Amino acid sequence: MPRFRPVALVLLAALPAFLSAQETSAKEEERMSQLARNDGMWYTPKTRVSVGLRILDSGGKVSFGNLGTVPFLNEIIPASEGAVVRSYNDGQIGLDGLRTDEVDGNGNQTSTPGGRYQVYSTVTVNVTDSNGNVIGTQDVQRLVGDYLSYTPGMTREWDVMGQSQFLTKPGYVAFNNYAAVSDGGSLAKEQGMSGGLELQMNRELGSSGRYFKWGVLAGISLNDINSKTAGSVASTLRTYTDYYTTNGSVLPLSQLSNPSNDTTLDSDGDGVANTFENTVALPIAPDPSLTTDVLTPGGANVTGRWQVKGAYFMFKFGPTLRTQITDTIGISASVGLAGAYAGTRYTAYESFQVAAMPNTDIETVDSETGDSTLSSTATKFLTGYYADLNLDWDVNDRFGLFGGVTAQQLDSYEQKLGDRTADIDLGSAVGIRGGVTVRF
């Protein structure tokens, strides 16, 4: 409402011009009427169609609410689900199976579960006499690999991101999933100037004298909506941790990826290096009695980008008053009802980091597209009112130019993106307008 006061004052200031225009002499009125009766071909245009631009001081204000929600990236799978792939923010437990070298031709396991198996290769070597002369060749079996056997219920396929996962609970490897739960964080952004196009039609319905006329106005305009902001909000950190026992085996702190092999060993003492697997197998499922799910209020500093972008068509209808200052220059004013059809897209990107995973962003992910930016769309019909005050210049009988001021007031609406909200308030705005007019 405060933005409408300047427009109202301008309308009141223009009132004397409307009233003074009524002081046309009776003789002049009689003369003009006589001319109209004598010349049946004389026609005064009754309709004005204008096309132009308008620039508003504000495109609206958007209040972003309930920010700072980053769900678990991976599905939480309980131990009761058994042998499945389990993914975490800091590692993965994969499914294991029999390798090619530990099965026979029928697919039966030849290695001993819980033990090790060896792989040999046939190589051709020289045979020499007592003097060292080569007298022939022979094929021998040489050890090329010493590996950990497949054991049901265990897996050799796992990896972690940091050494701290070996130290959280001695004798176990910790795997974590992290999420941020919104604490109701909010940010607001008011859009600056908003440009748009408009089309209006003004139909004259009557007049009082030569210089004072009234009629109706109908129009449509298009303006953009674009409010975006970036920043950070505090959220609750949720940490879900599973523990997998090492069954008493000691894990080298550098062994983050498994299976793990060392190819510089000579296991059989033949002087030739071979591959030796030093993987420590883990259970395929975590120990359910040790699983924790901890909430830490304010433990996550969530940074993000949020934007509401779109446009709205505004329709307006109301009465108009017009007075001529000279034969070519006039002032017109209109106040009436307005309606707007708005369509917007709400996008958000949010991420946070934890101390155990420095320089790694845990971010939002769209479950359908896999993209890190989330989005939703909304449409809404809004109601309100408008006021226009224009100065018109008739270049000739058909064409003219106009310029003036405009004001509007529209409702607000709410758009959601998951648990996030965006209160989109188009509110009140004032601006300038200008363009060309066609009369017919």
Side-chain angles (χ1 to χ4, degrees):
M1 289 302 293
R3 292 183 179 178
F4 273 79
R5 291 175 182 170
V7 177
L9 292 175
V10 173
L11 290 175
L12 289 174
L15 187 58
F18 282 100
L19 297 177
S20 63
Q22 308 312 306
E23 297 178 0
T24 305
S25 66
K27 290 183 178 181
E28 179 66 13
E29 290 293 330
E30 183 178 353
R31 186 178 72 83
M32 296 301 295
S33 299
Q34 185 62 40
L35 286 173
R37 287 192 296 269
N38 292 341
D39 190 355
M41 298 299 293
W42 183 29
Y43 171 72
T44 301
K46 301 291 186 182
T47 302
R48 289 175 177 264
V49 175
S50 63
V51 179
L53 302 174
R54 68 178 197 154
I55 301 176
L56 302 177
D57 68 337
S58 173
K61 179 180 179 180
V62 178
S63 298
F64 299 95
N66 207 32
L67 306 179
T69 296
V70 182
F72 285 127
L73 174 63
N74 307 292
E75 180 184 2
I76 301 299
I77 304 176
S80 58
E81 292 292 324
V84 295
V85 175
R86 289 177 171 84
S87 297
Y88 302 85
N89 285 120
D90 55 8
Q92 185 178 67
I93 295 291
L95 293 177
D96 201 354
L98 291 168
R99 298 169 181 165
T100 303
D101 293 323
E102 54 180 331
V103 293
D104 60 21
N106 296 319
N108 300 312
Q109 182 173 1
T110 57
S111 63
T112 301
R116 305 186 67 85
Y117 68 96
Q118 290 71 43
V119 176
Y120 294 87
S121 176
T122 300
V123 296
T124 301
V125 297
N126 292 327
V127 178
T128 60
D129 59 17
S130 59
N131 296 319
N133 300 312
V134 177
I135 58 176
T137 62
Q138 68 176 357
D139 292 338
V140 298
Q141 294 291 306
R142 176 165 290 169
L143 179 69
V144 295
D146 190 320
Y147 300 99
L148 187 68
S149 299
Y150 168 73
T151 303
M154 306 292 287
T155 180
R156 298 164 292 186
E157 304 284 340
W158 61 273
D159 59 81
V160 295
M161 288 189 64
Q163 298 177 350
S164 62
Q165 294 172 247
F166 299 149
L167 306 174
T168 303
K169 185 181 289 294
Y172 292 84
V173 181
F175 289 79
N176 302 280
N177 273 316
Y178 300 99
V181 183
S182 176
D183 286 340
S186 63
L187 293 169
K189 178 66 176 180
E190 183 168 3
Q191 181 181 344
M193 291 191 298
S194 171
L197 303 173
E198 67 174 356
L199 172 67
Q200 289 188 177
M201 185 179 72
N202 189 325
R203 178 65 178 176
E204 180 185 327
L205 299 181
S207 62
S208 176
R210 180 184 177 188
Y211 290 108
F212 185 66
K213 302 173 183 179
W214 64 87
V216 293
L217 177 146
I220 183 173
S221 60
L222 173 65
N223 277 80
D224 74 314
I225 302 172
N226 190 5
S227 292
K228 58 182 177 180
T229 189
S232 61
V233 296
S235 296
T236 293
L237 175 64
R238 183 181 177 187
T239 305
Y240 185 95
T241 306
D242 280 333
Y243 292 93
Y244 295 79
T245 180
T246 62
N247 292 309
S249 298
V250 178
L251 276 167
L253 293 181
S254 60
Q255 192 169 309
L256 304 182
S257 182
N258 294 274
S260 177
N261 299 314
D262 191 334
T263 58
T264 62
L265 298 180
D266 179 13
S267 299
D268 56 354
D270 65 355
V272 178
N274 56 264
T275 299
F276 183 86
E277 181 176 2
N278 49 26
T279 302
V280 174
L282 296 181
I284 194 62
D287 185 337
S289 66
L290 299 177
T291 296
T292 60
D293 191 357
V294 179
L295 297 177
T296 307
N301 182 49
V302 179
T303 61
R305 303 184 299 271
W306 303 271
Q307 180 178 27
V308 169
K309 186 175 184 179
Y312 65 93
F313 283 100
M314 189 179 81
F315 312 90
K316 55 186 179 181
F317 181 82
T320 63
L321 296 176
R322 177 182 175 82
T323 184
Q324 288 293 131
I325 299 175
T326 69
D327 287 341
T328 59
I329 298 178
I331 296 177
S332 62
S334 178
V335 177
L337 300 177
Y341 182 77
T344 47
R345 177 179 293 274
Y346 181 7
T347 58
Y349 167 83
E350 296 179 341
S351 67
F352 68 99
Q353 295 184 359
V354 294
M357 299 172 58
N359 304 318
T360 300
D361 289 331
I362 301 171
E363 58 189 12
T364 51
V365 175
D366 189 308
S367 59
E368 296 183 359
T369 66
D371 192 82
S372 59
T373 299
L374 311 179
S375 67
S376 71
T377 58
T379 57
K380 191 74 173 181
F381 186 79
L382 311 172
T383 58
Y385 49 91
Y386 77 95
D388 289 341
L389 178 64
N390 301 313
L391 181 66
D392 303 295
W393 175 42
D394 295 331
V395 178
N396 54 41
D397 290 343
R398 295 295 180 183
F399 298 98
L401 301 175
F402 75 90
V405 295
T406 184
Q408 66 184 46
Q409 172 73 45
L410 294 171
D411 293 335
S412 63
Y413 65 100
E414 183 182 78
Q415 183 173 349
K416 288 193 172 184
L417 176 54
D419 293 330
R420 303 168 190 83
T421 62
D423 184 26
I424 305 165
D425 184 10
L426 296 182
S428 60
V430 295
I432 58 175
R433 56 193 300 269
V436 297
T437 300
V438 179
R439 302 168 62 200
F440 58 91

